[in-house]
Amino acid sequence: MPNGETTSDQAELRTRQQATLARLDRFSRVTDTAIRIPFTRIRLGLDPIIGLLPVVGDLIGLVLSLYVLLEAQRAGASKRIKAHMIKNMLIETFGGMVPVVGDAFDIVYKANTRNTRLLREYLEEELKTEPQPRFPWTQVVFLAILLAILTSVVMIAW
């Protein structure tokens, strides 16, 4: 067994990973794919609906997406995976802010689903030992500053 882990340690770790992924699957379904548009294959969730509010809705969606990043941090995801998640979140946020086209972009891009899939792949393929979780202060501070700047721009524009 790698790093002196016992079978019960590995089973407990796998159980926690499965519980995390189950929570993220539910969250992603609610935010990205909960509602099917009748007579189409198009699915949307709360994120694109909230995104209909100009700028503020997309920022709320960004804050909601932080939950997936927090779960990835707790699960011990690598910096590369978390950076990719942040990139997905920012693409969806800024893509959603584009007038008219942004609302359709929100429906198609589905950052929370992408990030959940990234974490699932990471846990299934790469995670071999229990990580020492650290809170993603750098990412949270970056996103807080970004949110403050965007809010200031919106307030100045009004």
Side-chain angles (χ1 to χ4, degrees), residues 122-135:
Y122 175 79
L123 292 176
E124 289 176 353
E125 296 174 12
E126 297 180 23
L127 194 59
K128 303 293 185 223
T129 62
E130 187 170 355
Q132 297 300 317
R134 292 184 4 222
F135 192 79

Side-chain angles (χ1 to χ4, degrees), residues 1 14 58 81 91 119-120 144 148:
M1 312 255 150
R14 187 66 185 156
D58 294 302
I81 295 295
I91 287 171
L119 183 59
R120 179 181 311 288

Side-chain angles (χ1 to χ4, degrees), residues 19-142:
T20 296
L21 291 171
R23 281 191 307 273
L24 290 176
D25 284 339
R26 283 189 302 273
F27 178 78
S28 296
R29 196 169 23 261
V30 168
T31 59
D32 291 341
T33 62
I35 304 164
R36 187 174 139 284
I37 298 175
F39 310 109
T40 71
R41 299 179 117 184
I42 299 171
R43 298 187 72 81
L44 58 111
L46 290 178
D47 192 27
I49 293 170
I50 294 169
L52 291 172
L53 297 169
V55 182
V56 175
D58 294 302
L59 295 177
I60 291 169
L62 177 63
V63 171
L64 288 173
S65 294
L66 287 173
Y67 173 69
V68 180
L69 184 64
L70 180 61
E71 286 287 3
Q73 176 65 31
R74 288 178 183 161
S78 70
K79 288 182 181 180
R80 182 182 60 81
I81 295 295
K82 291 182 287 192
H84 196 139
M85 289 178 165
I86 291 170
K87 180 187 79 165
N88 285 339
M89 291 163 47
L90 293 175
I91 287 171
E92 183 177 66
T93 300
F94 290 115
M97 288 182 181
V98 176
V100 182
V101 177
D103 297 323
F105 183 79
D106 271 346
I107 293 171
V108 174
Y109 194 73
K110 301 181 187 325
N112 295 321
T113 300
R114 289 172 186 260
N115 289 343
T116 297
R117 184 174 44 243
L118 272 173
L119 183 59
R120 179 181 311 288
E121 291 169 0
Y122 175 79
L123 292 176
E124 289 176 353
E125 296 174 12
E126 297 180 23
L127 194 59
K128 303 293 185 223
T129 62
E130 187 170 355
Q132 297 300 317
R134 292 184 4 222
F135 192 79
W137 286 110
T138 306
Q139 291 92 345
V140 171
V141 169
F142 171 75

